[in-house]
Amino acid sequence: MTLDTTHFDAVPLAPPDVIFHLTASYKADTHAQKVNVGVGAYRDDNGHPWVLPVVRKAEQLIVNNHALDHEYLPIEGLASFTSAASRLILGKDSPALNENRAIAVQTISGTGAVRLGADFLARFRGTQTKVLLSNPTWANHKAIFNDAGFKDVADYAYYHPATRGLDLEGMLRDLRAAPEGSIVVLHACAHNPTGVDPTPAQWNTIADVMIAKKHFAFFDCAYQGFASGDLDRDATAVRYFATRTELFVAQSFAKNFGLYNERTGALTVVTKSPETAQAVKSQLAKLSRAAISNPPAFGARIVSTVLNDAALYAEWVENLKTMSGRIQLMRTKLFDALQKLGTPGSWQHILDQIGMFTFTGLNAAQSQAMGTKFHIYMTNNGRISMAGLTSSNVEYFAKSLDWIVRNVQ
Amino acid sequence: MDRRRREPTAAQTQVFQVGCRTNLKTCRTAGPFALSLASPRLLTNPTMYSCVSTAARTARVPGLVRRAASTWANVKMGPPDPILGVTEAFKADSNPKKMNLGVGAYRDDAGKPYVLSCVRKAEQIMADKHLDKEYLGITGLPEFTKAAARLAYGDESEVLGEKRVAITQSISGTGALRIGGEFLNRWYPHAKRIYLPTPSWGNHTPIFRDSGLEVHGYRYFDKSTNGLDIEGLLADLKAAPERSIILLHACAHNPTGVDPTPEQWKAIHEAIDGKGHYAFFDMAYQGFASGDPQKDAFALRHFASEGSIAGEGRLCLAQSFAKNIGLYGERVGTFSIVGADAEEAKRVESQLKILVRPMYSNPPMNGARIVSTVLNTPELHAEWRDEVKLMADRIISMRAALQNHLVHDFNSKLNWEHITSQIGMFCYTGLKPEEVDRLKSEFAVYLTRDGRISIAGISSGNVKYLAEAMHKVTKDRA
């Protein structure tokens, strides 16, 4: 009997992941003034990764505590972590929490939370349900919902290139046009990639339309504390929606705890009743058991240690302010440098946009030229990570940007 | 007590609507709705009560009181996990002699979790380095996956030498199985059907079903001998349609502890080879079965070096470090595929990345770094070899002790040979469900209803008690 010579000859070579590829190219570059404004990971003013001092403290406590073992966590994760996580996003006075209508399941950071939520929705709402993502959104959102099996993943208008701000009219139009009961992914704060967030009044209007259309609110919250520097302020949209509707919120602790590689996250769910909350939790656990069995302990222990201790929590708040403060300073410095250079166009959006990223307005050709000509690595959509700027490279960056704007169409 | 049937309150009706089977402790609905022992399944877990079945029998709800419907009105309460449910019940028991023989996590002779000394040392080394927390690549920590591949396939492995192995770090064994299931569902060019041994680990079926594969079984465990049904196994492999995907437990079969001998493995290999089947190995106990990681990898390495399976690359592996390095909760594992050649391995690796990125982006560092430090530091690697042998030896000695007590101290007339011929953490005792129930209710010995015990839960302090309990519930067998 003849057998195929291989089972996988139809498997094509996939293109490398854009962001990771960018970082790899940056690492390989030997130019003295190279700048990486690609990946959204925080850097200190020397361009180095920064492990939060409070995280180091918590880590030492954990490693030196020989009463701790490496036993399995429950399927839903470390309880002291998940309860603190949902309290963090919903607020300690949250009616949903106090009435036992909210639950949380630990996940593999934000990605894992979005995927778990998507898998749940696929199973219990059906894959024919329309999913609406902001235009633009984090590149992985579409892949997650596609892989969860959704057949109809579409956009809602969001970013207005002319104003470099929110296209509220377009967004509401698209939400109204979508079939009733669609799933809508919203960025809780510090929109990735644009940095454009709705105002509280605008969130109010968005909620009105969502509720009238019975759409399901799926928040992605990767930057709580990082956007404004204030944890409660960054949670405003989620908390407001929680007073009016059921929702999912995918929480990442990658950025606000600097715990990128320990994959610490949670999916918090707000429902209408305690019974519903328990039923949903049990089904999330069932999905998670068939995907990962139970989540990783280390990062969750760190976050739990910090969130549940008053002194460590206060120290974390300070560490957060250090990071958001430096980002804010870089925004100011870049804006000032461009003003001084008289760079054509308005650069106000550098100050107005929120969080780690700025949507510069550069097109693909210009973004690429920043790399080839000036060894400045950024994604083709014109997005830059402010964390990649430092007091020693911001002038170089501004000059390069100025040249590109003047010379590259 | 007023036995008139009362109209259900809105809250009670809502419970009825949702189909809730809430644990009595957390159920906030009082009254007749909270008590029902209608379901036989509940006898094994007396803390669970069925609100629905009582409501269905006693309530004649004139018109369901509907609150504003939740989005999740159709979401039923999921069943408790059968394996983890055993631990829940155990925890609730106050009997001082209670024993937990449910979950397969190693325990020392004092019944405590055991953190390996090589792990503590690795952790200290890591803490002193003050490493950053930057993202790993999608496929994880390279020093870890390389060392893990060498451990599994062998330092001298041809497929490794020829760069034919595409490997990614995974969320322990479960994550690896899921990546494999999803990858095969997406890319396997033949029927998306996987065959599991009967029985297999309970979680295999949900993992592969959720991956989109059809799940079938092949004969494996012989109840009459408590051993391997090799004839049935080979017959089923030959009867399966060509190019089926066959799941194999590399060593220390879970839940039975019954492993093929090397000769039997060769026959299994021939059957799989001849039918063009695809071999999917699950290796969760390397080192744990015999005490020797090299020996425990025999089956995998045989498949990776012989016949068309090796030649064409019809082999993949889910590898777990939960048990053999005791890193359960850190979730350390790998998934690897052997390709036809290096070029295919590259294509496959690129598609593994595309698959993993929308699952969880990239894997957790801590556990992988611990394993990498242990495997790549000669003194720690040697210490690990000693410790895994220590764990395996303790298991083996508990098996011997249990059998010895049953036969010599309690004069059981039944055949308990399988206790010592079976391998690894688990023993399929052959106990019947009713006997398992009695072990729980009369002796506070907790195990899953299929009669599986985790030998790791036995210590020199309680092995005789267990033997006595097992004897008492089986001595009146016809």
Side-chain angles (χ1 to χ4, degrees):
Chain A
M1 164 187 126
T2 37
L3 297 165
D4 295 342
T5 49
T6 166
H7 281 245
F8 298 122
D9 48 1
V11 173
L13 184 69
D17 182 275
V18 170
I19 309 285
F20 291 114
H21 180 69
L22 202 63
T23 302
S25 306
Y26 167 82
K27 280 187 180 156
D29 190 332
T30 51
H31 192 264
Q33 287 182 297
K34 65 179 181 175
V35 179
N36 185 358
V37 282
V39 185
Y42 179 79
R43 295 283 176 270
D44 65 14
D45 201 50
N46 296 313
H48 296 146
W50 188 59
V51 177
L52 278 62
V54 75
V55 166
R56 280 279 182 244
K57 268 197 190 148
E59 229 179 11
Q60 291 298 326
L61 287 171
I62 290 162
V63 172
N64 294 327
N65 182 356
H66 287 206
L68 284 176
D69 53 42
H70 286 291
E71 291 297 288
Y72 289 123
L73 288 178
I75 297 174
E76 305 87 355
L78 185 66
S80 60
F81 162 70
T82 51
S83 58
S86 47
R87 208 177 326 121
L88 184 70
I89 186 65
L90 297 177
K92 59 177 165 51
D93 299 321
S94 153
L97 275 176
N98 294 337
E99 293 162 20
N100 292 319
R101 294 186 286 111
I103 55 96
V105 171
Q106 185 182 338
T107 58
I108 311 290
S109 206
T111 307
V114 177
R115 181 57 180 267
L116 179 62
D119 285 340
F120 179 93
L121 291 166
R123 181 170 285 187
F124 290 99
R125 292 293 300 280
T127 53
Q128 74 293 340
T129 312
K130 193 177 191 90
V131 178
L132 290 159
L133 309 174
S134 66
N135 179 10
T137 192
W138 179 47
N140 210 12
H141 275 148
K142 193 163 205 305
I144 292 171
F145 282 91
N146 283 339
D147 280 13
F150 285 96
K151 310 276 184 281
D152 185 5
V153 181
D155 290 335
Y156 58 86
Y158 190 80
Y159 178 70
H160 210 311
T163 61
R164 290 178 188 153
L166 179 66
D167 177 6
L168 182 66
E169 220 178 274
M171 179 176 180
L172 297 177
R173 173 201 66 222
D174 289 346
L175 292 182
R176 284 192 187 104
E180 226 181 55
S182 296
I183 295 160
V184 180
V185 178
L186 303 159
H187 296 230
C189 63
H191 184 271
N192 178 1
T194 69
V196 170
D197 286 349
T199 62
Q202 289 171 327
W203 275 122
N204 198 317
T205 314
I206 293 165
D208 288 342
V209 172
M210 295 265 305
I211 288 164
K213 293 287 301 191
K214 300 194 172 69
H215 290 333
F216 183 72
F218 194 156
F219 279 96
D220 186 351
C221 183
Y223 299 98
Q224 187 186 3
F226 221 107
S228 67
D230 182 327
L231 289 156
D232 294 315
R233 191 151 148 216
D234 291 349
T236 305
V238 173
R239 291 179 191 181
Y240 173 66
F241 268 66
T243 64
R244 299 185 63 182
T245 180
E246 295 175 308
L247 58 88
F248 279 2
V249 50
Q251 296 174 265
S252 169
F253 291 89
K255 284 88 173 171
N256 59 10
F257 263 85
L259 278 174
Y260 308 95
N261 69 17
E262 297 298 356
R263 319 308 293 129
T264 308
L267 179 68
T268 286
V269 181
V270 172
T271 67
K272 288 205 161 117
S273 74
E275 293 81 9
T276 309
Q278 290 307 311
V280 170
K281 186 176 186 179
S282 72
Q283 296 294 346
L284 288 170
K286 195 164 167 210
L287 281 162
S288 197
R289 173 59 158 159
I292 61 170
S293 272
N294 43 77
F298 192 58
R301 279 176 166 167
I302 291 172
V303 175
S304 173
T305 301
V306 172
L307 292 183
N308 289 308
D309 176 287
L312 292 176
Y313 185 95
E315 191 174 344
W316 175 55
V317 169
E318 285 312 306
N319 289 172
L320 265 176
K321 290 208 170 87
T322 300
M323 292 193 287
S324 61
R326 197 182 91 66
I327 300 283
Q328 200 48 47
L329 183 63
M330 289 303 104
R331 288 187 179 278
T332 310
K333 285 200 163 178
L334 178 59
F335 177 79
D336 289 347
L338 293 172
Q339 294 298 96
K340 229 190 297 113
L341 289 165
T343 310
S346 163
W347 299 98
Q348 183 61 34
H349 55 284
I350 292 178
L351 297 178
D352 295 341
Q353 288 168 8
I354 294 162
M356 193 144 8
F357 300 113
T358 293
F359 233 35
T360 54
L362 293 186
N363 63 32
Q366 292 169 322
S367 302
Q368 261 161 21
M370 286 286 269
T372 49
K373 194 143 178 62
F374 296 109
H375 306 269
I376 294 174
Y377 293 82
M378 55 188 286
T379 47
N380 281 354
N381 55 7
R383 181 191 88 165
I384 58 171
S385 168
M386 303 311 287
L389 295 177
T390 67
S391 38
S392 36
N393 71 18
V394 65
E395 294 290 339
Y396 173 72
F397 183 89
K399 285 200 184 96
S400 309
L401 181 63
D402 181 87
W403 191 95
I404 293 287
V405 166
R406 293 177 198 274
N407 295 289
V408 179
Q409 307 320 314
Chain B
M1 178 181 158
D2 183 351
R3 291 195 170 277
R4 274 177 307 171
R5 203 186 339 103
R6 273 163 266 138
E7 290 294 355
T9 65
Q12 289 170 329
T13 312
Q14 186 168 38
V15 168
F16 171 63
Q17 245 179 287
V18 171
C20 160
R21 290 185 182 84
T22 298
N23 184 304
L24 181 61
K25 291 193 177 80
T26 56
C27 176
R28 289 157 92 215
T29 308
F33 288 85
L35 296 168
S36 166
L37 292 170
S39 167
R41 185 164 58 83
L42 298 173
L43 289 175
T44 64
N45 194 348
T47 57
M48 302 293 284
Y49 291 84
S50 175
C51 289
V52 172
S53 57
T54 307
R57 284 186 322 185
T58 66
R60 215 161 289 154
V61 182
L64 281 179
V65 173
R66 283 190 165 273
R67 288 232 190 113
S70 162
T71 308
W72 310 121
N74 66 325
V75 175
K76 296 201 170 28
M77 187 70 185
D81 185 280
I83 297 171
L84 300 171
V86 169
T87 298
E88 294 294 305
F90 166 83
K91 280 183 186 161
D93 193 325
S94 52
N95 187 324
K97 289 191 160 182
K98 64 180 181 176
M99 291 179 70
N100 185 359
L101 303 179
V103 183
Y106 180 80
R107 295 285 175 265
D108 64 16
D109 202 50
K112 298 269 176 294
Y114 176 59
V115 177
L116 277 65
S117 162
C118 62
V119 166
R120 288 256 186 252
K121 285 179 180 153
E123 285 175 315
Q124 201 48 64
I125 291 171
M126 285 159 54
D128 293 341
K129 281 189 179 160
H130 292 121
L131 301 161
D132 66 40
K133 306 234 167 264
E134 293 298 285
Y135 287 122
L136 283 171
I138 300 170
T139 53
L141 185 66
E143 310 91 275
F144 161 66
T145 50
K146 288 197 177 80
R150 280 197 313 272
L151 181 67
Y153 293 95
D155 289 323
E156 308 303 316
S157 158
E158 262 180 42
V159 293
L160 277 184
E162 291 165 12
K163 298 198 186 332
R164 291 168 54 196
V165 180
I167 189 165
T168 177
Q169 184 180 334
S170 63
I171 312 294
S172 206
T174 302
L177 291 162
R178 186 59 182 265
I179 290 171
E182 296 273 358
F183 186 88
L184 288 166
N185 187 51
R186 183 174 286 190
W187 293 110
Y188 192 62
H190 311 292
K192 324 277 189 189
R193 198 186 298 127
I194 188 164
Y195 287 76
L196 311 180
T198 305
S200 194
W201 179 45
N203 208 18
H204 275 143
T205 296
I207 291 169
F208 290 120
R209 281 223 179 103
D210 282 11
S211 299
L213 300 176
E214 241 180 63
V215 177
H216 294 260
Y218 59 85
R219 278 172 285 174
Y220 192 84
F221 183 71
D222 187 339
K223 286 193 172 116
S224 59
T225 61
N226 286 317
L228 181 65
D229 177 6
I230 186 66
E231 296 309 322
L233 193 168
L234 292 172
D236 285 353
L237 290 183
K238 288 174 182 144
E242 264 175 35
R243 305 191 227 276
S244 297
I245 304 163
I246 312 291
L247 183 93
L248 303 158
H249 296 224
C251 62
H253 182 272
N254 178 1
T256 68
V258 171
D259 283 352
T261 62
E263 287 315 305
Q264 289 172 327
W265 271 121
K266 287 176 181 167
I268 294 167
H269 171 269
E270 254 184 66
I272 291 178
D273 205 65
K275 290 286 295 196
H277 291 331
Y278 192 92
F280 193 147
F281 273 95
D282 183 357
M283 185 155 73
Y285 299 97
Q286 188 185 7
F288 223 99
S290 68
D292 179 355
Q294 307 306 319
K295 197 164 158 202
D296 291 347
F298 167 79
L300 171 73
R301 293 180 189 183
H302 182 73
F303 275 63
S305 58
E306 297 292 323
S308 62
I309 294 170
E312 294 169 14
R314 301 204 314 269
L315 176 64
C316 68
L317 169 71
Q319 181 185 26
S320 168
F321 288 92
K323 287 91 175 167
N324 59 7
I325 296 194
L327 283 176
Y328 308 89
E330 302 295 339
R331 320 309 291 126
V332 196
T334 72
F335 174 71
S336 55
I337 292 186
V338 177
D341 52 37
E343 187 267 344
E344 179 163 277
K346 280 211 140 40
R347 285 184 283 112
V348 165
E349 193 205 21
S350 73
Q351 292 296 345
L352 283 172
K353 289 178 179 173
I354 299 275
L355 188 69
V356 168
R357 172 73 157 141
M359 283 182 175
Y360 54 82
S361 280
N362 43 74
M365 168 67 97
N366 193 48
R369 179 76 77 183
I370 294 172
V371 176
S372 170
T373 305
V374 169
L375 294 182
N376 291 316
T377 310
E379 318 86 76
L380 293 184
H381 193 137
E383 189 173 4
W384 171 62
R385 291 291 303 265
D386 290 340
E387 289 189 280
V388 82
K389 182 159 195 327
L390 191 136
M391 293 192 287
D393 284 348
R394 196 183 89 68
I395 301 283
I396 290 167
S397 74
M398 285 300 102
R399 287 182 178 275
L402 179 63
Q403 183 185 54
N404 190 45
H405 286 309
L406 277 163
V407 172
H408 295 119
D409 291 325
F410 299 107
N411 297 313
S412 173
K413 297 292 170 261
L414 301 175
N415 184 348
W416 295 106
E417 248 186 79
H418 50 287
I419 294 180
T420 47
S421 61
Q422 288 170 8
I423 290 163
M425 192 144 11
F426 300 111
C427 170
Y428 236 34
T429 55
L431 288 169
K432 307 190 169 116
E434 317 79 72
E435 293 164 349
V436 170
D437 294 339
R438 284 186 62 197
L439 277 180
K440 274 181 246 180
S441 55
E442 294 173 36
F443 298 95
V445 173
Y446 288 81
L447 61 156
T448 45
R449 258 184 132 229
D450 54 3
R452 182 191 87 161
I453 58 173
S454 170
I455 306 283
I458 308 174
S459 65
S460 47
N462 60 25
V463 60
K464 193 167 182 184
Y465 175 74
L466 175 62
E468 182 177 10
M470 284 171 67
H471 173 61
K472 285 198 170 142
V473 305
T474 56
K475 66 180 168 54
D476 296 326
R477 272 196 200 167

